[in-house]
Amino acid sequence: MTGTSAGGASRVGVHRAAAFVAAGQPREALAVLAAAGPEENETAAAQRVRALALLAVDEVDEALGAARQAVGLDPDDGTGLWLTSTLLLRTGDQAGAVDAARRAVVVAPTSWRSHAAVADALFLDPARRVEALRASYEAVRLAPEEPDVHRRHGDLLLAAGRHRDAQAAYRRGLELAPGTTGTRHNLAVSRLRGGHEGESALAFSSVLATDPTDATARRNFVVAVVNPLARVRGMLGFTAVMTGLMSLGVTGDAEIARLTTILLPVTGIVGAVVVALRFVAETRSRTRSVVATARRAVPGWTALAAVTLAALLVSVVSVFLPLAAALVAQAVVLACAVLGSVQSRRILVAFPRTRPAPPTVAAAPTDESSPWRNPA
């Protein structure tokens, strides 16, 4: 009778600790386990919960020790193995992480987390991207209603350069869990890499409004608002150079030379306007808000925008000027483009790429693990 009661108490203690971890209270979970007796703590379940709690407070080495102890107590437990794999990945031991994840698949082939652990362990190894994708697809097949599995799958597809497939995976994850910031963030990264700067700037602006300290969101926002200006300057600068070269090539015919100073600049102007209209269309009714965030969050952005606008206005004016004056105006456009490019470079250097952190594990089967934070 006493043994049964003790066993029941042990199970209750582990369940209480697990509930604390799932509720985002890892220190309380550790306190519950610390108050438990040796009989309770010397179980695989207790060690798994301890590992999760320690990981949540960023005690990675101690968490890894607990996860390994859980595997030692129950070698056929896939949960302990994929947890060990994730923790080894956090310590930088990719080879060990791959080995533990593959063992997890062997002992728990129907667990999506085991297959996801394989994909995570191989995430940063382009040479084994095919195996990682195979494992990720299997995880999706096993848990199609799990939001986290779709985000992980999207992250891997994004790393492989398959933007449309990645976006489909992220959108599926958001259908299942609309409030997931990490998935929404990485969907915006995928859209940014596909050239949709306005849509991405709007998304990252929203992230910064709630968390101004998010360095990766800030870097991605900087790219989203600087890139369109760079594209406009590139078009205007290119047409300025071509206008000068072609005008020099037809110096004997003033009429053709004058026509060159009209048609080529107009081409650049139309391209610049298309880029601007697309950005405005993608930011919808919040363009002013995005611009205000850029002025506040990106030092030098106002000057960069002013130089770009000046290049556009001078290019427009040049269309109505005589040949000689038009060529001088196009030289000014080129100078503005070069000056803006230097300023863009300085801004991007001031906001370096942030490296994505390795994925962490879920506190409970219904929770999501931390997302990869993808820098554009």
Side-chain angles (χ1 to χ4, degrees):
M1 187 70 166
T2 303
T4 304
S5 299
S10 296
R11 288 192 295 272
V12 169
V14 172
H15 291 164
R16 281 188 62 212
F20 275 125
V21 174
Q25 298 174 293
R27 297 191 184 281
E28 287 78 356
L30 291 171
V32 170
L33 293 174
E39 179 184 352
E40 181 172 3
N41 279 298
E42 292 174 3
T43 64
Q47 292 303 320
R48 288 196 301 269
V49 173
R50 175 175 282 106
L52 288 166
L54 288 167
L55 178 58
V57 296
D58 206 29
E59 298 288 346
V60 177
D61 291 336
E62 291 80 357
L64 178 58
R68 281 175 164 163
Q69 190 171 346
V71 174
L73 291 167
D74 187 359
D76 293 329
D77 176 30
T79 301
L81 284 167
W82 66 253
L83 181 54
T84 299
S85 173
T86 300
L87 289 162
L88 285 169
L89 193 61
R90 286 287 297 272
T91 65
D93 184 0
Q94 186 186 17
V98 172
D99 179 67
R102 285 173 174 164
R103 288 167 56 199
V105 170
V106 171
V107 301
T110 60
S111 168
W112 75 265
R113 293 184 183 277
S114 296
H115 295 278
V118 173
D120 286 342
L122 298 175
F123 192 102
L124 299 178
D125 187 352
R128 293 191 279 186
R129 189 65 49 76
V130 172
E131 182 182 353
L133 281 170
R134 188 183 303 119
S136 187
Y137 275 112
E138 182 64 13
V140 171
R141 186 187 69 81
L142 291 169
E145 300 303 315
E146 172 58 51
D148 185 39
V149 75
H150 293 284
R151 186 189 59 236
R152 289 169 178 255
H153 189 52
D155 292 343
L156 186 55
L157 290 166
L158 183 59
R162 295 168 54 177
H163 293 192
R164 287 189 177 181
D165 292 338
Q167 290 167 25
Y170 290 140
R171 289 192 174 102
R172 177 56 181 156
L174 288 172
E175 288 175 4
L176 297 168
T180 309
T181 302
T183 305
R184 194 173 300 280
H185 178 114
N186 286 0
L187 174 59
V189 169
S190 182
R191 297 295 287 166
L192 174 57
R193 292 182 183 177
H196 297 274
E197 288 97 350
E199 180 182 330
S200 302
L202 184 60
F204 295 130
S205 177
S206 298
V207 172
L208 291 174
T210 57
D211 183 9
T213 64
D214 191 327
T216 307
R218 184 177 295 276
R219 159 69 189 196
N220 289 335
F221 176 76
V222 169
V223 173
V225 296
V226 168
N227 273 3
L229 297 179
R231 191 172 292 116
V232 168
R233 290 193 312 276
M235 292 177 180
L236 296 175
F238 177 76
T239 54
V241 171
M242 293 304 298
T243 298
L245 292 176
M246 293 190 70
S247 296
L248 290 174
V250 292
T251 51
D253 192 327
E255 187 174 340
I256 294 179
R258 177 70 187 102
L259 190 60
T260 298
T261 62
I262 294 175
L263 295 180
L264 285 176
V266 166
T267 301
I269 292 167
V270 170
V273 170
V274 168
V275 171
L277 290 177
R278 182 181 183 184
F279 187 90
V280 171
E282 289 185 352
T283 53
R284 297 183 289 279
S285 60
R286 296 181 58 188
T287 303
R288 289 186 179 180
S289 174
V290 170
V291 171
T293 302
R295 288 175 176 170
R296 183 174 61 253
V298 186
W301 187 86
T302 300
L304 180 63
V307 168
T308 305
L309 181 59
L312 178 60
L313 292 177
V314 172
S315 190
V316 171
V317 171
S318 73
V319 173
F320 304 98
L321 297 176
L323 176 59
L327 290 174
V328 171
Q330 286 301 308
V332 173
V333 170
L334 180 58
C336 288
V338 172
L339 181 62
S341 296
V342 172
Q343 179 66 5
S344 289
R345 178 62 180 169
R346 288 178 177 175
I347 291 174
L348 292 176
V349 168
F351 293 91
R353 289 173 180 264
T354 51
R355 190 174 181 179
T360 59
V361 297
T366 56
D367 292 343
E368 293 189 37
S369 60
S370 298
W372 288 81
R373 307 294 282 173
N374 288 295

